[in-house]
Amino acid sequence: MASKQPFADSDIADEAVRATCDDASICKRFATSKGYWTDLYVQYFVRQVGERKAPEINRGYYGRVKGMNLLIDAFLKKTQCDCQVVNLGAGLDTTFWRLKDENIMPKKFFEVDFPMIVARKIHNIKTKPPLSKPLIETHSTDALLLDGHSLDSDRYCIIGADLRDLPTLEEKLKKFQINPELPTLFLSECVLVYMTPEQSSKLVHWVADAFPTAMFINYEQKERFLSAGWESANALDMMTVYNMLPQEDVARIECLEFLDEKELLQQLLQHYCICWAVKDKLNLGEASILPS
């Protein structure tokens, strides 16, 4: 029985990681219900608004979402959408639908997560027309390629896979026509922190080796990327990102709820950072992707 203990511990740890998907989605659902930002699609993944969240949590998610969107949109502009996006640990993220509405879609948008989470997301897509219609509108044939743990269309693909199993991940991405020669944006909001240093290092190395023109955005230390084959890496703490956002919109959201402890928000935002690493074989100038 003792020999099975590590496996059981791993299962428990994985379940805790999967639970973070719901936690983040519920927080985003509540923040959007208060008007921090517009997300027309999160309601189809999280039906109930849920209990009230503290204002500093809502502002933290506002900064996180807006900061990620700033970098995503800059990459798409830099590549003129002649690129692909791979969202690692995507959970119930709605970025694809936002990009479709704003007409700034990449050639293909991939999502990867645990098979259990992917199965839930596919069920929601299948049963909610506002989610399925954009996929159908951007697909050239009558039928989508669909099974319990993957869904593939011309412009969107969701794959059930374990990021720690790189051979299987690579095989599945190839099966669904990922193109390593295209500029590729990898997104990883809060994934690497839940992997062992060895596992996350292998993932970052694999991306650097397999995609000659790529950008990797996540919350992480930039040193990890510089030691893993990336040409350059930059990082900003979330307080700096928050102050870089359009200040008229920041002023708007700061009027939504009274915040008693402004120092607490500052400490919270300074604790996290957003990092982006670049490989630029095509000389697109991705290293200077953010406006100064």
Side-chain angles (χ1 to χ4, degrees), residues 45 96-97 108-112 115 118-127 131-136 138-139 143-160 172 175-177:
F45 294 114
F96 167 79
W97 289 270
K108 193 159 186 176
F109 194 104
F110 295 84
E111 294 184 348
V112 183
V118 165
R120 283 177 53 196
K121 193 164 190 177
I122 289 174
H123 173 76
N124 282 314
I125 292 171
K126 286 168 56 180
T127 57
L131 297 176
S132 58
K133 185 179 178 183
L135 272 65
I136 294 168
T138 57
H139 192 58
L144 303 176
L145 180 60
L146 176 68
D147 62 35
H149 295 128
S150 62
L151 183 157
D152 186 47
S153 70
D154 289 349
R155 306 295 291 275
Y156 174 83
C157 178
I158 181 170
I159 300 166
K172 290 186 176 183
K175 175 184 175 182
F176 294 115
Q177 289 84 51

mmCIF file of all heavy atoms in Angstrom, residues 45 96-97 108-112 115 118-127 131-136 138-139 143-160 172 175-177:
data_model
loop_
_atom_site.group_PDB
_atom_site.id
_atom_site.type_symbol
_atom_site.label_atom_id
_atom_site.label_comp_id
_atom_site.label_asym_id
_atom_site.label_seq_id
_atom_site.Cartn_x
_atom_site.Cartn_y
_atom_site.Cartn_z
ATOM 1 N N PHE A 45 -20.345 29.834 -18.898
ATOM 2 C CA PHE A 45 -19.521 28.853 -18.207
ATOM 3 C C PHE A 45 -19.769 28.866 -16.701
ATOM 4 O O PHE A 45 -19.636 27.849 -16.033
ATOM 5 C CB PHE A 45 -18.033 29.111 -18.483
ATOM 6 C CG PHE A 45 -17.630 28.894 -19.907
ATOM 7 C CD1 PHE A 45 -17.207 29.947 -20.698
ATOM 8 C CD2 PHE A 45 -17.680 27.622 -20.471
ATOM 9 C CE1 PHE A 45 -16.827 29.740 -22.015
ATOM 10 C CE2 PHE A 45 -17.305 27.412 -21.781
ATOM 11 C CZ PHE A 45 -16.883 28.468 -22.560
ATOM 12 N N PHE A 96 -10.900 33.555 -26.854
ATOM 13 C CA PHE A 96 -11.215 33.301 -28.261
ATOM 14 C C PHE A 96 -12.460 34.063 -28.691
ATOM 15 O O PHE A 96 -12.488 34.683 -29.765
ATOM 16 C CB PHE A 96 -11.417 31.801 -28.511
ATOM 17 C CG PHE A 96 -12.039 31.505 -29.851
ATOM 18 C CD1 PHE A 96 -11.270 31.517 -31.004
ATOM 19 C CD2 PHE A 96 -13.411 31.252 -29.970
ATOM 20 C CE1 PHE A 96 -11.852 31.270 -32.249
ATOM 21 C CE2 PHE A 96 -13.991 31.007 -31.206
ATOM 22 C CZ PHE A 96 -13.210 31.008 -32.349
ATOM 23 N N TRP A 97 -13.496 34.043 -27.873
ATOM 24 C CA TRP A 97 -14.762 34.688 -28.240
ATOM 25 C C TRP A 97 -14.606 36.208 -28.263
ATOM 26 O O TRP A 97 -15.199 36.876 -29.113
ATOM 27 C CB TRP A 97 -15.867 34.245 -27.277
ATOM 28 C CG TRP A 97 -16.259 32.817 -27.495
ATOM 29 C CD1 TRP A 97 -17.228 32.350 -28.346
ATOM 30 C CD2 TRP A 97 -15.656 31.651 -26.904
ATOM 31 N NE1 TRP A 97 -17.276 30.970 -28.307
ATOM 32 C CE2 TRP A 97 -16.325 30.513 -27.433
ATOM 33 C CE3 TRP A 97 -14.636 31.456 -25.980
ATOM 34 C CZ2 TRP A 97 -16.000 29.205 -27.058
ATOM 35 C CZ3 TRP A 97 -14.306 30.156 -25.609
ATOM 36 C CH2 TRP A 97 -14.985 29.052 -26.145
ATOM 37 N N LYS A 108 -5.284 30.425 -35.889
ATOM 38 C CA LYS A 108 -5.923 29.373 -35.091
ATOM 39 C C LYS A 108 -5.623 29.626 -33.622
ATOM 40 O O LYS A 108 -4.527 30.059 -33.257
ATOM 41 C CB LYS A 108 -5.449 27.983 -35.506
ATOM 42 C CG LYS A 108 -6.313 26.848 -34.937
ATOM 43 C CD LYS A 108 -6.148 25.568 -35.736
ATOM 44 C CE LYS A 108 -7.113 24.504 -35.267
ATOM 45 N NZ LYS A 108 -7.035 23.266 -36.084
ATOM 46 N N PHE A 109 -6.613 29.331 -32.780
ATOM 47 C CA PHE A 109 -6.519 29.518 -31.339
ATOM 48 C C PHE A 109 -6.647 28.148 -30.684
ATOM 49 O O PHE A 109 -7.665 27.482 -30.798
ATOM 50 C CB PHE A 109 -7.643 30.437 -30.863
ATOM 51 C CG PHE A 109 -7.471 30.982 -29.468
ATOM 52 C CD1 PHE A 109 -7.082 32.290 -29.260
ATOM 53 C CD2 PHE A 109 -7.713 30.177 -28.352
ATOM 54 C CE1 PHE A 109 -6.927 32.802 -27.978
ATOM 55 C CE2 PHE A 109 -7.558 30.668 -27.074
ATOM 56 C CZ PHE A 109 -7.166 31.990 -26.877
ATOM 57 N N PHE A 110 -5.575 27.734 -29.994
ATOM 58 C CA PHE A 110 -5.551 26.431 -29.321
ATOM 59 C C PHE A 110 -5.708 26.637 -27.812
ATOM 60 O O PHE A 110 -5.166 27.581 -27.241
ATOM 61 C CB PHE A 110 -4.214 25.714 -29.562
ATOM 62 C CG PHE A 110 -3.946 25.341 -30.989
ATOM 63 C CD1 PHE A 110 -3.387 26.262 -31.871
ATOM 64 C CD2 PHE A 110 -4.234 24.063 -31.459
ATOM 65 C CE1 PHE A 110 -3.121 25.919 -33.185
ATOM 66 C CE2 PHE A 110 -3.974 23.715 -32.769
ATOM 67 C CZ PHE A 110 -3.418 24.639 -33.643
ATOM 68 N N GLU A 111 -6.419 25.711 -27.183
ATOM 69 C CA GLU A 111 -6.493 25.667 -25.729
ATOM 70 C C GLU A 111 -6.123 24.270 -25.250
ATOM 71 O O GLU A 111 -6.499 23.272 -25.890
ATOM 72 C CB GLU A 111 -7.898 26.006 -25.232
ATOM 73 C CG GLU A 111 -8.327 27.433 -25.505
ATOM 74 C CD GLU A 111 -9.690 27.767 -24.914
ATOM 75 O OE1 GLU A 111 -10.401 26.835 -24.482
ATOM 76 O OE2 GLU A 111 -10.038 28.959 -24.892
ATOM 77 N N VAL A 112 -5.412 24.202 -24.129
ATOM 78 C CA VAL A 112 -5.014 22.921 -23.544
ATOM 79 C C VAL A 112 -5.314 22.949 -22.054
ATOM 80 O O VAL A 112 -5.022 23.937 -21.378
ATOM 81 C CB VAL A 112 -3.506 22.639 -23.751
ATOM 82 C CG1 VAL A 112 -3.144 21.261 -23.190
ATOM 83 C CG2 VAL A 112 -3.119 22.753 -25.218
ATOM 84 N N PRO A 115 -8.047 16.854 -19.213
ATOM 85 C CA PRO A 115 -9.201 16.298 -19.930
ATOM 86 C C PRO A 115 -10.530 16.526 -19.215
ATOM 87 O O PRO A 115 -11.552 16.786 -19.870
ATOM 88 C CB PRO A 115 -8.860 14.809 -20.024
ATOM 89 C CG PRO A 115 -7.366 14.771 -20.056
ATOM 90 C CD PRO A 115 -6.929 15.877 -19.131
ATOM 91 N N VAL A 118 -11.562 20.069 -19.916
ATOM 92 C CA VAL A 118 -11.892 20.189 -21.336
ATOM 93 C C VAL A 118 -13.270 19.583 -21.633
ATOM 94 O O VAL A 118 -14.058 20.156 -22.393
ATOM 95 C CB VAL A 118 -10.799 19.529 -22.194
ATOM 96 C CG1 VAL A 118 -11.270 19.319 -23.622
ATOM 97 C CG2 VAL A 118 -9.536 20.384 -22.174
ATOM 98 N N ALA A 119 -13.575 18.453 -21.026
ATOM 99 C CA ALA A 119 -14.878 17.820 -21.239
ATOM 100 C C ALA A 119 -16.015 18.735 -20.792
ATOM 101 O O ALA A 119 -17.045 18.852 -21.471
ATOM 102 C CB ALA A 119 -14.943 16.483 -20.493
ATOM 103 N N ARG A 120 -15.829 19.411 -19.659
ATOM 104 C CA ARG A 120 -16.842 20.367 -19.182
ATOM 105 C C ARG A 120 -17.002 21.525 -20.154
ATOM 106 O O ARG A 120 -18.130 21.951 -20.464
ATOM 107 C CB ARG A 120 -16.427 20.922 -17.815
ATOM 108 C CG ARG A 120 -16.632 20.009 -16.644
ATOM 109 C CD ARG A 120 -16.120 20.654 -15.372
ATOM 110 N NE ARG A 120 -16.682 21.973 -15.160
ATOM 111 C CZ ARG A 120 -16.176 22.873 -14.302
ATOM 112 N NH1 ARG A 120 -15.092 22.593 -13.621
ATOM 113 N NH2 ARG A 120 -16.758 24.050 -14.174
ATOM 114 N N LYS A 121 -15.883 22.031 -20.644
ATOM 115 C CA LYS A 121 -15.949 23.187 -21.532
ATOM 116 C C LYS A 121 -16.610 22.810 -22.853
ATOM 117 O O LYS A 121 -17.418 23.574 -23.399
ATOM 118 C CB LYS A 121 -14.545 23.752 -21.767
ATOM 119 C CG LYS A 121 -14.559 25.132 -22.429
ATOM 120 C CD LYS A 121 -13.213 25.824 -22.292
ATOM 121 C CE LYS A 121 -13.285 27.281 -22.721
ATOM 122 N NZ LYS A 121 -12.015 28.000 -22.531
ATOM 123 N N ILE A 122 -16.271 21.643 -23.375
ATOM 124 C CA ILE A 122 -16.883 21.187 -24.620
ATOM 125 C C ILE A 122 -18.391 21.034 -24.444
ATOM 126 O O ILE A 122 -19.175 21.410 -25.337
ATOM 127 C CB ILE A 122 -16.244 19.859 -25.083
ATOM 128 C CG1 ILE A 122 -14.821 20.112 -25.583
ATOM 129 C CG2 ILE A 122 -17.080 19.202 -26.181
ATOM 130 C CD1 ILE A 122 -14.049 18.849 -25.920
ATOM 131 N N HIS A 123 -18.805 20.498 -23.307
ATOM 132 C CA HIS A 123 -20.251 20.364 -23.048
ATOM 133 C C HIS A 123 -20.937 21.724 -23.082
ATOM 134 O O HIS A 123 -22.008 21.883 -23.689
ATOM 135 C CB HIS A 123 -20.476 19.695 -21.688
ATOM 136 C CG HIS A 123 -21.917 19.661 -21.272
ATOM 137 N ND1 HIS A 123 -22.833 18.776 -21.828
ATOM 138 C CD2 HIS A 123 -22.611 20.424 -20.371
ATOM 139 C CE1 HIS A 123 -24.021 18.982 -21.287
ATOM 140 N NE2 HIS A 123 -23.917 19.970 -20.405
ATOM 141 N N ASN A 124 -20.322 22.727 -22.463
ATOM 142 C CA ASN A 124 -20.903 24.071 -22.487
ATOM 143 C C ASN A 124 -20.959 24.634 -23.899
ATOM 144 O O ASN A 124 -21.948 25.260 -24.292
ATOM 145 C CB ASN A 124 -20.084 25.005 -21.582
ATOM 146 C CG ASN A 124 -20.381 24.818 -20.112
ATOM 147 O OD1 ASN A 124 -21.524 24.739 -19.706
ATOM 148 N ND2 ASN A 124 -19.346 24.741 -19.298
ATOM 149 N N ILE A 125 -19.907 24.419 -24.665
ATOM 150 C CA ILE A 125 -19.878 24.913 -26.042
ATOM 151 C C ILE A 125 -20.973 24.253 -26.864
ATOM 152 O O ILE A 125 -21.685 24.910 -27.634
ATOM 153 C CB ILE A 125 -18.493 24.674 -26.671
ATOM 154 C CG1 ILE A 125 -17.434 25.562 -25.998
ATOM 155 C CG2 ILE A 125 -18.526 24.940 -28.176
ATOM 156 C CD1 ILE A 125 -15.997 25.240 -26.401
ATOM 157 N N LYS A 126 -21.127 22.938 -26.707
ATOM 158 C CA LYS A 126 -22.123 22.186 -27.468
ATOM 159 C C LYS A 126 -23.551 22.611 -27.134
ATOM 160 O O LYS A 126 -24.428 22.615 -27.998
ATOM 161 C CB LYS A 126 -21.969 20.687 -27.204
ATOM 162 C CG LYS A 126 -20.778 20.048 -27.880
ATOM 163 C CD LYS A 126 -20.523 18.651 -27.345
ATOM 164 C CE LYS A 126 -21.739 17.739 -27.474
ATOM 165 N NZ LYS A 126 -21.448 16.385 -26.945
ATOM 166 N N THR A 127 -23.796 22.963 -25.881
ATOM 167 C CA THR A 127 -25.168 23.208 -25.426
ATOM 168 C C THR A 127 -25.543 24.679 -25.357
ATOM 169 O O THR A 127 -26.699 25.005 -25.082
ATOM 170 C CB THR A 127 -25.386 22.572 -24.039
ATOM 171 O OG1 THR A 127 -24.415 23.096 -23.109
ATOM 172 C CG2 THR A 127 -25.235 21.058 -24.119
ATOM 173 N N LEU A 131 -21.902 30.240 -27.627
ATOM 174 C CA LEU A 131 -20.527 29.746 -27.646
ATOM 175 C C LEU A 131 -20.229 28.977 -28.925
ATOM 176 O O LEU A 131 -19.141 29.100 -29.497
ATOM 177 C CB LEU A 131 -20.275 28.827 -26.442
ATOM 178 C CG LEU A 131 -20.383 29.464 -25.058
ATOM 179 C CD1 LEU A 131 -20.194 28.401 -23.975
ATOM 180 C CD2 LEU A 131 -19.366 30.581 -24.876
ATOM 181 N N SER A 132 -21.172 28.178 -29.382
ATOM 182 C CA SER A 132 -20.927 27.332 -30.561
ATOM 183 C C SER A 132 -21.032 28.101 -31.869
ATOM 184 O O SER A 132 -20.321 27.793 -32.836
ATOM 185 C CB SER A 132 -21.899 26.151 -30.576
ATOM 186 O OG SER A 132 -23.247 26.593 -30.568
ATOM 187 N N LYS A 133 -21.881 29.113 -31.914
ATOM 188 C CA LYS A 133 -22.093 29.835 -33.171
ATOM 189 C C LYS A 133 -20.814 30.463 -33.720
ATOM 190 O O LYS A 133 -20.522 30.331 -34.919
ATOM 191 C CB LYS A 133 -23.168 30.907 -32.982
ATOM 192 C CG LYS A 133 -23.542 31.618 -34.275
ATOM 193 C CD LYS A 133 -24.633 32.660 -34.045
ATOM 194 C CE LYS A 133 -24.959 33.407 -35.325
ATOM 195 N NZ LYS A 133 -25.971 34.472 -35.093
ATOM 196 N N PRO A 134 -19.977 31.127 -32.899
ATOM 197 C CA PRO A 134 -18.732 31.690 -33.439
ATOM 198 C C PRO A 134 -17.793 30.641 -34.020
ATOM 199 O O PRO A 134 -17.061 30.924 -34.969
ATOM 200 C CB PRO A 134 -18.111 32.389 -32.223
ATOM 201 C CG PRO A 134 -19.262 32.720 -31.348
ATOM 202 C CD PRO A 134 -20.201 31.559 -31.508
ATOM 203 N N LEU A 135 -17.801 29.428 -33.456
ATOM 204 C CA LEU A 135 -16.969 28.353 -33.999
ATOM 205 C C LEU A 135 -17.477 27.931 -35.366
ATOM 206 O O LEU A 135 -16.699 27.749 -36.309
ATOM 207 C CB LEU A 135 -16.974 27.143 -33.061
ATOM 208 C CG LEU A 135 -15.923 27.119 -31.952
ATOM 209 C CD1 LEU A 135 -16.154 28.258 -30.967
ATOM 210 C CD2 LEU A 135 -15.941 25.786 -31.231
ATOM 211 N N ILE A 136 -18.789 27.807 -35.468
ATOM 212 C CA ILE A 136 -19.398 27.377 -36.732
ATOM 213 C C ILE A 136 -19.191 28.445 -37.808
ATOM 214 O O ILE A 136 -18.911 28.141 -38.971
ATOM 215 C CB ILE A 136 -20.900 27.090 -36.518
ATOM 216 C CG1 ILE A 136 -21.064 25.884 -35.575
ATOM 217 C CG2 ILE A 136 -21.600 26.827 -37.851
ATOM 218 C CD1 ILE A 136 -22.470 25.686 -35.065
ATOM 219 N N THR A 138 -16.757 30.383 -38.225
ATOM 220 C CA THR A 138 -15.375 30.445 -38.701
ATOM 221 C C THR A 138 -14.880 29.093 -39.196
ATOM 222 O O THR A 138 -13.674 28.902 -39.380
ATOM 223 C CB THR A 138 -14.448 30.926 -37.565
ATOM 224 O OG1 THR A 138 -14.586 30.051 -36.425
ATOM 225 C CG2 THR A 138 -14.801 32.347 -37.139
ATOM 226 N N HIS A 139 -15.811 28.177 -39.447
ATOM 227 C CA HIS A 139 -15.449 26.826 -39.882
ATOM 228 C C HIS A 139 -15.948 26.608 -41.305
ATOM 229 O O HIS A 139 -17.043 27.040 -41.656
ATOM 230 C CB HIS A 139 -16.062 25.787 -38.934
ATOM 231 C CG HIS A 139 -15.528 24.404 -39.108
ATOM 232 N ND1 HIS A 139 -14.192 24.101 -38.981
ATOM 233 C CD2 HIS A 139 -16.151 23.237 -39.410
ATOM 234 C CE1 HIS A 139 -14.024 22.804 -39.192
ATOM 235 N NE2 HIS A 139 -15.193 22.258 -39.447
ATOM 236 N N ALA A 143 -19.398 19.974 -40.271
ATOM 237 C CA ALA A 143 -19.223 19.303 -38.989
ATOM 238 C C ALA A 143 -17.895 19.667 -38.342
ATOM 239 O O ALA A 143 -16.879 19.810 -39.019
ATOM 240 C CB ALA A 143 -19.310 17.791 -39.169
ATOM 241 N N LEU A 144 -17.922 19.822 -37.019
ATOM 242 C CA LEU A 144 -16.707 20.012 -36.241
ATOM 243 C C LEU A 144 -16.162 18.647 -35.838
ATOM 244 O O LEU A 144 -16.915 17.701 -35.627
ATOM 245 C CB LEU A 144 -16.999 20.826 -34.982
ATOM 246 C CG LEU A 144 -17.635 22.210 -35.165
ATOM 247 C CD1 LEU A 144 -17.941 22.829 -33.805
ATOM 248 C CD2 LEU A 144 -16.738 23.128 -35.955
ATOM 249 N N LEU A 145 -14.840 18.544 -35.741
ATOM 250 C CA LEU A 145 -14.224 17.316 -35.246
ATOM 251 C C LEU A 145 -14.331 17.326 -33.730
ATOM 252 O O LEU A 145 -13.782 18.196 -33.061
ATOM 253 C CB LEU A 145 -12.758 17.242 -35.675
ATOM 254 C CG LEU A 145 -11.970 16.016 -35.228
ATOM 255 C CD1 LEU A 145 -12.615 14.745 -35.767
ATOM 256 C CD2 LEU A 145 -10.524 16.094 -35.685
ATOM 257 N N LEU A 146 -15.046 16.339 -33.178
ATOM 258 C CA LEU A 146 -15.410 16.404 -31.779
ATOM 259 C C LEU A 146 -15.364 15.023 -31.145
ATOM 260 O O LEU A 146 -15.849 14.041 -31.714
ATOM 261 C CB LEU A 146 -16.835 16.975 -31.666
ATOM 262 C CG LEU A 146 -17.489 17.067 -30.298
ATOM 263 C CD1 LEU A 146 -16.771 18.096 -29.441
ATOM 264 C CD2 LEU A 146 -18.958 17.437 -30.454
ATOM 265 N N ASP A 147 -14.712 14.948 -29.963
ATOM 266 C CA ASP A 147 -14.868 13.763 -29.127
ATOM 267 C C ASP A 147 -14.910 14.237 -27.677
ATOM 268 O O ASP A 147 -15.004 15.436 -27.413
ATOM 269 C CB ASP A 147 -13.762 12.729 -29.372
ATOM 270 C CG ASP A 147 -12.371 13.250 -29.045
ATOM 271 O OD1 ASP A 147 -12.228 14.036 -28.085
ATOM 272 O OD2 ASP A 147 -11.415 12.872 -29.744
ATOM 273 N N GLY A 148 -14.849 13.318 -26.739
ATOM 274 C CA GLY A 148 -15.046 13.696 -25.347
ATOM 275 C C GLY A 148 -14.019 14.657 -24.799
ATOM 276 O O GLY A 148 -14.315 15.466 -23.919
ATOM 277 N N HIS A 149 -12.786 14.604 -25.331
ATOM 278 C CA HIS A 149 -11.710 15.400 -24.762
ATOM 279 C C HIS A 149 -11.003 16.280 -25.783
ATOM 280 O O HIS A 149 -9.882 16.739 -25.541
ATOM 281 C CB HIS A 149 -10.693 14.493 -24.061
ATOM 282 C CG HIS A 149 -11.258 13.787 -22.870
ATOM 283 N ND1 HIS A 149 -11.168 12.431 -22.706
ATOM 284 C CD2 HIS A 149 -11.953 14.244 -21.808
ATOM 285 C CE1 HIS A 149 -11.763 12.082 -21.571
ATOM 286 N NE2 HIS A 149 -12.246 13.160 -21.011
ATOM 287 N N SER A 150 -11.628 16.529 -26.915
ATOM 288 C CA SER A 150 -11.074 17.475 -27.878
ATOM 289 C C SER A 150 -12.173 17.957 -28.817
ATOM 290 O O SER A 150 -13.155 17.258 -29.061
ATOM 291 C CB SER A 150 -9.929 16.853 -28.692
ATOM 292 O OG SER A 150 -10.391 15.757 -29.450
ATOM 293 N N LEU A 151 -11.979 19.174 -29.286
ATOM 294 C CA LEU A 151 -12.882 19.776 -30.272
ATOM 295 C C LEU A 151 -12.009 20.582 -31.220
ATOM 296 O O LEU A 151 -11.174 21.364 -30.775
ATOM 297 C CB LEU A 151 -13.913 20.664 -29.575
ATOM 298 C CG LEU A 151 -14.995 21.337 -30.429
ATOM 299 C CD1 LEU A 151 -16.206 21.678 -29.553
ATOM 300 C CD2 LEU A 151 -14.502 22.608 -31.097
ATOM 301 N N ASP A 152 -12.219 20.374 -32.525
ATOM 302 C CA ASP A 152 -11.371 21.061 -33.491
ATOM 303 C C ASP A 152 -12.210 21.688 -34.586
ATOM 304 O O ASP A 152 -13.110 21.057 -35.149
ATOM 305 C CB ASP A 152 -10.375 20.074 -34.117
ATOM 306 C CG ASP A 152 -9.378 20.781 -35.029
ATOM 307 O OD1 ASP A 152 -8.819 21.810 -34.617
ATOM 308 O OD2 ASP A 152 -9.175 20.294 -36.159
ATOM 309 N N SER A 153 -11.921 22.958 -34.880
ATOM 310 C CA SER A 153 -12.513 23.658 -36.019
ATOM 311 C C SER A 153 -11.383 24.366 -36.750
ATOM 312 O O SER A 153 -10.219 24.281 -36.364
ATOM 313 C CB SER A 153 -13.576 24.656 -35.546
ATOM 314 O OG SER A 153 -12.972 25.746 -34.879
ATOM 315 N N ASP A 154 -11.709 25.082 -37.806
ATOM 316 C CA ASP A 154 -10.662 25.761 -38.583
ATOM 317 C C ASP A 154 -9.893 26.781 -37.750
ATOM 318 O O ASP A 154 -8.688 26.949 -37.921
ATOM 319 C CB ASP A 154 -11.292 26.478 -39.785
ATOM 320 C CG ASP A 154 -11.787 25.509 -40.844
ATOM 321 O OD1 ASP A 154 -11.458 24.314 -40.749
ATOM 322 O OD2 ASP A 154 -12.505 25.953 -41.763
ATOM 323 N N ARG A 155 -10.582 27.469 -36.832
ATOM 324 C CA ARG A 155 -9.954 28.590 -36.124
ATOM 325 C C ARG A 155 -9.833 28.376 -34.612
ATOM 326 O O ARG A 155 -9.204 29.185 -33.933
ATOM 327 C CB ARG A 155 -10.751 29.879 -36.388
ATOM 328 C CG ARG A 155 -10.972 30.206 -37.862
ATOM 329 C CD ARG A 155 -9.676 30.508 -38.592
ATOM 330 N NE ARG A 155 -9.057 31.743 -38.184
ATOM 331 C CZ ARG A 155 -9.377 32.935 -38.679
ATOM 332 N NH1 ARG A 155 -10.321 33.052 -39.599
ATOM 333 N NH2 ARG A 155 -8.740 34.027 -38.280
ATOM 334 N N TYR A 156 -10.430 27.310 -34.089
ATOM 335 C CA TYR A 156 -10.409 27.069 -32.641
ATOM 336 C C TYR A 156 -10.259 25.583 -32.379
ATOM 337 O O TYR A 156 -10.892 24.752 -33.023
ATOM 338 C CB TYR A 156 -11.701 27.572 -32.003
ATOM 339 C CG TYR A 156 -11.851 27.255 -30.524
ATOM 340 C CD1 TYR A 156 -11.264 28.060 -29.550
ATOM 341 C CD2 TYR A 156 -12.599 26.154 -30.103
ATOM 342 C CE1 TYR A 156 -11.409 27.779 -28.202
ATOM 343 C CE2 TYR A 156 -12.744 25.871 -28.749
ATOM 344 C CZ TYR A 156 -12.156 26.683 -27.798
ATOM 345 O OH TYR A 156 -12.296 26.405 -26.464
ATOM 346 N N CYS A 157 -9.405 25.276 -31.397
ATOM 347 C CA CYS A 157 -9.182 23.883 -31.025
ATOM 348 C C CYS A 157 -8.964 23.804 -29.520
ATOM 349 O O CYS A 157 -8.204 24.597 -28.955
ATOM 350 C CB CYS A 157 -7.962 23.326 -31.764
ATOM 351 S SG CYS A 157 -7.548 21.623 -31.325
ATOM 352 N N ILE A 158 -9.632 22.867 -28.869
ATOM 353 C CA ILE A 158 -9.425 22.637 -27.445
ATOM 354 C C ILE A 158 -9.023 21.181 -27.251
ATOM 355 O O ILE A 158 -9.638 20.268 -27.819
ATOM 356 C CB ILE A 158 -10.680 23.011 -26.619
ATOM 357 C CG1 ILE A 158 -10.421 22.784 -25.130
ATOM 358 C CG2 ILE A 158 -11.913 22.284 -27.088
ATOM 359 C CD1 ILE A 158 -11.509 23.365 -24.241
ATOM 360 N N ILE A 159 -7.958 20.975 -26.474
ATOM 361 C CA ILE A 159 -7.327 19.662 -26.352
ATOM 362 C C ILE A 159 -7.214 19.285 -24.878
ATOM 363 O O ILE A 159 -6.729 20.082 -24.062
ATOM 364 C CB ILE A 159 -5.913 19.673 -26.971
ATOM 365 C CG1 ILE A 159 -5.965 20.039 -28.448
ATOM 366 C CG2 ILE A 159 -5.210 18.341 -26.773
ATOM 367 C CD1 ILE A 159 -4.600 20.391 -29.036
ATOM 368 N N GLY A 160 -7.625 18.082 -24.545
ATOM 369 C CA GLY A 160 -7.419 17.551 -23.211
ATOM 370 C C GLY A 160 -6.054 16.882 -23.133
ATOM 371 O O GLY A 160 -5.802 15.902 -23.826
ATOM 372 N N LYS A 172 -0.611 15.652 -29.907
ATOM 373 C CA LYS A 172 -1.974 16.149 -30.084
ATOM 374 C C LYS A 172 -1.991 17.494 -30.806
ATOM 375 O O LYS A 172 -2.865 17.740 -31.654
ATOM 376 C CB LYS A 172 -2.672 16.252 -28.726
ATOM 377 C CG LYS A 172 -2.986 14.901 -28.108
ATOM 378 C CD LYS A 172 -3.807 15.026 -26.830
ATOM 379 C CE LYS A 172 -4.190 13.658 -26.296
ATOM 380 N NZ LYS A 172 -5.048 13.740 -25.094
ATOM 381 N N LYS A 175 -1.503 16.764 -34.389
ATOM 382 C CA LYS A 175 -2.726 16.156 -34.942
ATOM 383 C C LYS A 175 -3.723 17.225 -35.372
ATOM 384 O O LYS A 175 -4.412 17.084 -36.387
ATOM 385 C CB LYS A 175 -3.357 15.241 -33.896
ATOM 386 C CG LYS A 175 -4.705 14.651 -34.303
ATOM 387 C CD LYS A 175 -5.309 13.828 -33.175
ATOM 388 C CE LYS A 175 -6.701 13.331 -33.540
ATOM 389 N NZ LYS A 175 -7.315 12.571 -32.412
ATOM 390 N N PHE A 176 -3.764 18.322 -34.620
ATOM 391 C CA PHE A 176 -4.723 19.387 -34.928
ATOM 392 C C PHE A 176 -4.074 20.560 -35.660
ATOM 393 O O PHE A 176 -4.532 21.696 -35.594
ATOM 394 C CB PHE A 176 -5.414 19.838 -33.644
ATOM 395 C CG PHE A 176 -6.276 18.761 -33.032
ATOM 396 C CD1 PHE A 176 -5.958 18.216 -31.795
ATOM 397 C CD2 PHE A 176 -7.380 18.272 -33.706
ATOM 398 C CE1 PHE A 176 -6.733 17.217 -31.236
ATOM 399 C CE2 PHE A 176 -8.170 17.267 -33.158
ATOM 400 C CZ PHE A 176 -7.848 16.736 -31.926
ATOM 401 N N GLN A 177 -2.990 20.244 -36.390
ATOM 402 C CA GLN A 177 -2.373 21.151 -37.359
ATOM 403 C C GLN A 177 -1.759 22.413 -36.777
ATOM 404 O O GLN A 177 -1.877 23.499 -37.353
ATOM 405 C CB GLN A 177 -3.381 21.544 -38.459
ATOM 406 C CG GLN A 177 -3.743 20.456 -39.439
ATOM 407 C CD GLN A 177 -4.852 19.543 -38.923
ATOM 408 O OE1 GLN A 177 -5.887 20.027 -38.493
ATOM 409 N NE2 GLN A 177 -4.624 18.241 -38.987
#
